[in-house]
Amino acid sequence: MTTGSTEDLDAAERTHPFAGRTALVTGAGRGIGRAVALQLADAGARVVLVARTEAQLAGTSSEIAGREGDATAVRADLADHAQVRRLAADVLAEHGRIDILVNNAATVAPLGPSVGVDLDQYAAQLQLNVLAVATLTFALLPPMLDVGWGRVVNVSSGIAADPAGMIGGNAYATTKAALEAHTVNLAAELDGTGVTVNAFWPGTVDTAMQTWIRDQDPDRIGAALHQRFSAYLSEGRLIAPERAASTLLTHLTGNATGQVWS
């Protein structure tokens, strides 16, 4: 009987490795964020879904409920610093702590020649892609540190390792490089606390961002950039968001920190 009970427990842990954990996923209304949220819920986590579009949040929340998962939807525009701070305070008030934080929300705009770029859009990308991540992470860290366990993942891009490979995307290259520096530095600071911080390259995933870039005027964003993203589709190089999410979850159960997963 004892052996059987142990085997049952081991099987449950393998099936639901995040049972009893609470996860927060930004950009959870579609694409990679949605896929990560669904798979975290399937793995037993209570999931706080964050996005700025109510209908998309409702769709993800409904699907999790249909799979007998537990999800709470919170609408917030992370490009607004005040909303980020309010989100963190509200989440902690309701849930006590977040155990797993997946900072996925990001924008690729503005694209095009750097001379004449819209600097307001440039600043907005820095806010969403970097400052929102830091603000939310720092606010949610103390309860993780108190219990000695936490997982922070920042969704980045291979462009951080090859900034010259995306001409016309200066803001995006800059923010992703900054995001990875933030990740590795914070991981070093928290080493030994039980809280890990890592970055993740999801690859060339079939998302709304890819579609948006293909829909842009090549003369405005640059013919080479437009051709590059169009080729991902025409050459069959795009992968499903579910595949990227599955890869991410395989890393979350480990204790590695300060890494860039791909």
Side-chain angles (χ1 to χ4, degrees):
M1 178 67 72
T2 302
T3 302
S5 298
T6 301
E7 290 174 350
D8 290 345
L9 180 60
D10 289 344
E13 289 178 346
R14 287 193 298 270
T15 305
H16 299 103
F18 300 120
R21 304 290 188 187
T22 301
L24 187 151
V25 182
T26 67
R30 65 187 186 185
I32 297 167
R34 173 183 170 279
V36 169
L38 289 170
Q39 292 187 27
L40 281 169
D42 288 345
R46 295 181 297 271
V47 186
V48 180
L49 311 168
V50 179
R52 64 181 180 179
T53 304
E54 196 78 49
Q56 292 176 355
L57 278 172
T60 305
S61 182
S62 177
E63 186 162 356
I64 288 175
R67 292 155 73 152
E68 300 185 349
D70 185 353
T72 301
V74 182
R75 184 190 175 282
D77 183 355
L78 302 186
D80 182 333
H81 185 65
Q83 290 192 42
V84 179
R85 298 182 66 177
R86 186 163 59 249
L87 167 67
D90 290 348
V91 164
L92 288 178
E94 181 173 351
H95 297 279
R97 75 170 185 270
I98 295 297
D99 302 294
I100 302 167
L101 172 62
V102 181
N103 288 304
N104 165 73
T107 181
V108 72
L111 294 176
S114 295
V115 174
V117 72
D118 185 325
L119 292 179
D120 287 337
Q121 281 193 321
Y122 200 107
Q125 188 176 147
L126 285 167
Q127 163 60 36
L128 177 58
N129 292 11
V130 182
L131 295 179
V133 171
T135 300
L136 192 56
T137 301
F138 296 159
L140 300 181
L141 270 178
M144 294 184 189
L145 294 171
D146 286 345
V147 299
W149 197 94
R151 298 290 181 266
V152 179
V153 181
N154 299 320
V155 177
S156 184
S157 166
I159 195 65
D162 181 25
M166 192 173 170
I167 295 172
N170 184 269
Y172 192 67
T174 299
T175 59
K176 292 306 184 182
L179 180 66
E180 291 192 12
H182 157 81
T183 300
V184 175
N185 181 272
L186 184 59
E189 179 182 339
L190 301 180
D191 192 30
T193 65
V195 179
T196 67
V197 189
N198 296 282
F200 175 61
W201 293 355
T204 51
V205 183
D206 191 4
T207 63
M209 183 182 291
Q210 290 274 343
T211 303
W212 182 84
I213 294 173
R214 293 195 302 270
D215 287 344
Q216 299 307 296
D217 182 353
D219 292 335
R220 187 182 69 78
I221 69 171
L225 181 63
H226 187 271
Q227 182 178 5
R228 172 180 175 173
F229 280 84
S230 296
Y232 290 151
L233 177 64
S234 63
E235 296 172 5
R237 296 167 60 186
L238 296 177
I239 65 173
E242 291 75 16
R243 175 179 166 186
S246 179
T247 300
L248 174 56
L249 260 69
T250 61
H251 289 291
L252 278 179
T253 56
N255 296 313
T257 192
Q259 297 188 352
V260 179
W261 300 325
S262 63

